[in-house]
Amino acid sequence: MTEAILLVGGKGTRLRPLTVHTPKPMVRAAGVPFLTHQLARAKAAGVDHIVLATSYLAEVFEPYFGDGSSLGLHIEYVTEEEPLGTGGAIRNVASRLHSAPDDPVLVFNGDILTGLDIGRLVATHRETAADVSLHLTKVTDPRAYGLVPTDETGRVLAFLEKPETPEEIVTDQINAGAYVFRRSVIDTIPQGRPVSVERETFPDLLAAGAHLQGMVDSTYWLDLGTPAAFVRGSADLVLGRAPSPAVPGRCGDRLILPTARVAADAKLTGGTVVGEGAFVAEGARVFGSTILPGAVIEPGAVITDSLIGTRARVGERSVLTGTVIGDGAIIGPDNELRDGARIWCDAQIPAGAVRFSSDQ
């Protein structure tokens, strides 16, 4: 296995305001851009050439990763002028691949954190002589996903849209966002227009009699599309629940990056990350949260399952739960922000302006 395509062009609208200034794959998880974890895992599986299919804020990627040599990879970049969807993006980078027609090419979605055994997926693809092989995972409630039923040998039988009634839930297997394509199959995807692999490419291949193989791998899997999921994924990386060779330090209850400062009596637990140049003051308590570089947490603040943006500030005694604070935002003292609150970049909330309890 030598080549892979990483689809990193999405706008990350569900993650805003995290993605106002930063493309989703470059938002930091466990101290480094999330994309770093995917690149490191691909490298560990034997991949040496990766093409990044970029679109939104495409100019951010290459200055950070360069040619990939620091990671032991050869990275190339292809930018879509107009968004082309998952299938269109794969087809758009085909000219950069070096593989022979029957060689396998890995394809990853840029927002999935997974413990997938990449080598086993490639081996399954080779052993079954499939045209496309898909990583499938089992979920307790599949209603939010497309279903992928298979026969007893793992051969894909259908691609079913999100079920709306109990009778439509014929399997708990869903598309987990990692594939192996036979190189020649990529060239059959229409060029120059938006194409969805989930809604067009895969169903069309199946209808044409192609061999699509599913491999169920029920190790760690998380779609990082929402702020709550992203925060949880970062914490799981720090805690060691999600595997990655790119975590910049030992796994444990907290990860404090170089140049970050944390007061001696501040309490950091649950996989909390404190980024470079950030400061957590005395008496603050932070659980399962991400404090991005340059942010300031003032004395006595309590932060749970939240993400604090670059250079943002959380005032004294403020209590944040399940909250996202955009880059440069300022939360004054004595505020309470609860699950789902999103404070936009550079916004300012005066002292005691938002509360869910009395001020006494």
Side-chain angles (χ1 to χ4, degrees):
M1 189 71 223
T2 60
E3 290 196 294
I5 298 169
L6 262 168
L7 305 176
V8 293
K11 291 185 176 180
T13 52
R14 290 185 296 157
L15 277 178
R16 288 171 73 87
L18 297 180
T19 51
V20 169
H21 304 302
T22 307
K24 177 168 53 177
M26 296 298 288
V27 178
R28 289 176 176 247
V32 298
F34 173 67
L35 180 56
T36 309
H37 299 289
Q38 291 187 304
L39 293 171
R41 295 201 72 243
K43 167 64 178 174
V47 174
D48 57 20
H49 178 220
I50 294 183
V51 185
L52 297 187
T54 67
S55 179
Y56 177 65
L57 297 176
E59 67 277 6
V60 172
F61 295 92
E62 190 166 2
Y64 189 91
F65 292 107
D67 64 2
S69 56
S70 62
L71 295 171
L73 293 164
H74 172 47
I75 298 177
E76 294 188 68
Y77 306 83
V78 177
T79 301
E80 303 164 26
E81 298 306 320
E82 297 291 334
L84 294 171
T86 48
I90 294 168
R91 182 67 179 89
N92 192 50
V93 306
S95 63
R96 302 295 185 93
L97 299 173
H98 307 146
S99 302
D102 285 336
D103 286 347
V105 177
L106 269 166
V107 179
F108 297 106
N109 282 339
D111 53 3
I112 301 296
L113 177 59
T114 176
L116 168 68
D117 185 339
I118 297 170
R120 188 162 75 90
L121 181 62
V122 176
T124 297
H125 179 80
R126 293 185 187 277
E127 290 163 5
T128 60
D131 293 302
V132 181
S133 297
L134 298 86
H135 170 208
L136 307 179
T137 192
K138 294 178 180 288
V139 294
T140 304
D141 184 0
R143 288 176 297 177
Y145 305 95
L147 309 185
V148 187
T150 55
D151 68 14
E152 64 278 0
T153 69
R155 189 159 182 154
V156 174
L157 299 174
F159 290 90
L160 307 175
E161 286 299 312
K162 297 174 183 178
E164 296 181 1
T165 65
E167 293 75 25
E168 293 178 298
I169 302 176
V170 298
T171 180
D172 58 356
Q173 296 175 176
I174 66 165
N175 178 356
Y179 320 113
V180 181
F181 277 76
R182 187 191 301 272
R183 169 67 185 85
S184 58
V185 172
I186 293 175
D187 291 329
T188 68
I189 299 173
Q191 194 168 12
R193 68 168 176 85
V195 180
S196 164
V197 290
E198 300 87 355
R199 295 180 178 85
E200 182 176 345
T201 304
F202 293 156
D204 286 358
L205 284 169
L206 205 59
H211 179 177
L212 277 67
Q213 184 73 21
M215 187 196 82
V216 176
D217 184 307
S218 295
T219 53
Y220 185 97
W221 184 85
L222 186 64
D223 177 351
L224 301 184
T226 66
F230 200 96
V231 170
R232 186 164 76 251
S234 177
D236 284 348
L237 283 161
V238 174
L239 292 166
R241 295 171 180 165
S244 170
V247 176
R250 288 185 177 182
C251 291
D253 233 14
R254 65 185 193 173
L255 176 64
I256 301 173
L257 276 293
T259 72
R261 295 179 298 134
V262 177
D265 66 344
K267 186 175 182 180
L268 311 179
T269 58
T272 288
V273 182
V274 183
E276 295 91 338
F279 174 57
V280 181
E282 59 271 13
R285 290 178 287 153
V286 187
F287 178 85
S289 297
T290 295
I291 313 300
L292 290 181
V296 174
I297 310 302
E298 294 185 356
V302 180
I303 299 173
T304 303
D305 298 335
S306 297
L307 191 146
I308 312 302
T310 302
R311 304 177 315 282
R313 177 179 291 267
V314 177
E316 295 181 66
R317 298 174 301 281
S318 282
V319 178
L320 278 59
T321 302
T323 300
V324 175
I325 308 301
D327 297 340
I330 298 176
I331 310 302
D334 300 307
N335 281 289
E336 297 177 25
L337 300 176
R338 290 191 178 178
D339 289 338
R342 305 183 189 213
I343 307 304
W344 236 248
C345 301
D346 301 314
Q348 298 188 24
I349 296 182
V354 179
R355 301 192 63 84
F356 288 83
S357 61
S358 95
D359 61 352
Q360 299 301 313

